[in-house]
Amino acid sequence: MALIDCPECTHRVSHLAKACPSCGFPVADHVRGENMGIGDKVEFGPYSWIVLEKREGKALIIAEDVLRRNGGIEFIPYHSGYEAVTWEDCSLRKWLNSSFLERFTAEERGRIVLSSLKNDDNPSFGTEGGADTEDRVFCLSIAEAHNFMNVTQRGASDYWWLRSPGRFTTLGADVYSDGGVNESGWSVISDELGVRPALWLTLR
């Protein structure tokens, strides 16, 4: 059982409760996502998330915080070696869809949608984005980061990776701590950036 803050009164309540015992807020509906709004903070699995988009019974959510590994002391590189690489083959994608995904229960994983991702070329430099992919957990693209900038700039205190390439395929695009998008990118082996996983969540 996990405890979450009631969105109405902030009383700590079980995520399995139908309603908050303090104020009566419909916690079950909130956990399922039925009353999510764009920009709302929601709890799913062991993390807090921000809602970016809702459509067709699904919500696109992104981690509220920039995540690190090893208890929060180690940033996460885009790739394990310094070489030309795209999202399809990078180690960050593999980690998100294996070790990170395993942090959720079987029931929670069942709500995470297998998403078809368009991996466009870098819009400023034309760097090849690589093949399209299917992922349950992913990083935003440059285009998505620009589109959702007003929402994603909240909560982030570190730089975080995008799945798009930077100026070269040895660089990965990223987002600054102030929300600005860096299309030139950082070295794929940089240990100075974290990750804000994103996923599509089934609401019913």
Side-chain angles (χ1 to χ4, degrees):
M1 181 186 75
L3 293 177
I4 64 174
D5 292 334
C6 171
E8 184 69 24
C9 70
T10 70
H11 181 83
R12 297 291 282 175
V13 59
S14 167
H15 76 293
L16 300 175
K18 291 184 178 180
C20 175
S22 178
C23 69
F25 181 85
V27 175
D29 289 347
H30 180 75
V31 170
R32 287 195 301 268
E34 294 175 0
N35 59 356
M36 287 180 184
I38 305 303
D40 281 357
K41 175 181 173 180
V42 298
E43 305 295 326
F44 178 66
Y47 301 101
S48 298
W49 306 78
I50 297 174
V51 180
L52 299 180
E53 184 179 354
K54 284 181 67 177
R55 55 184 162 97
E56 301 176 351
K58 301 179 293 185
L60 175 62
I61 59 177
I62 189 170
E64 180 183 31
D65 299 318
V66 177
L67 305 184
R68 311 183 190 186
R69 294 184 300 193
N70 294 338
I73 62 173
E74 180 183 342
F75 283 114
I76 305 169
Y78 186 88
H79 193 52
S80 56
Y82 185 72
E83 60 182 340
V85 67
T86 61
W87 174 252
E88 179 185 20
D89 296 317
C90 73
S91 58
L92 177 56
R93 177 183 177 228
K94 293 179 175 63
W95 178 76
L96 286 173
N97 286 278
S98 57
S99 298
F100 178 78
L101 190 60
E102 291 168 3
R103 298 178 182 181
F104 297 85
T105 66
E107 180 182 357
E108 290 165 345
R109 291 196 297 271
R111 294 182 61 194
I112 300 174
V113 178
L114 181 62
S115 301
S116 298
L117 303 182
K118 180 72 173 175
N119 295 312
D120 294 321
D121 297 347
N122 185 298
S124 294
F125 304 103
T127 317
E128 183 180 357
D132 295 341
T133 56
E134 290 189 335
D135 299 299
R136 297 192 185 279
V137 189
F138 50 91
C139 296
L140 298 183
S141 66
I142 287 175
E144 291 164 343
H146 281 299
N147 187 39
F148 299 120
M149 184 182 296
N150 289 339
V151 180
T152 59
Q153 66 184 2
R154 298 181 320 198
S157 58
D158 295 303
Y159 292 13
W160 44 283
W161 293 110
L162 299 175
R163 70 176 185 269
S164 304
R167 180 187 292 265
F168 309 109
T169 50
T170 52
L171 306 175
D174 66 282
V175 176
Y176 296 124
S177 57
D178 64 2
V181 178
N182 175 21
E183 297 187 11
S184 293
W186 284 63
S187 168
V188 294
I189 59 171
S190 175
D191 60 359
E192 298 184 44
L193 291 86
V195 61
R196 293 180 75 182
L199 56 89
W200 279 98
L201 181 68
T202 301
L203 301 183
R204 55 183 184 275

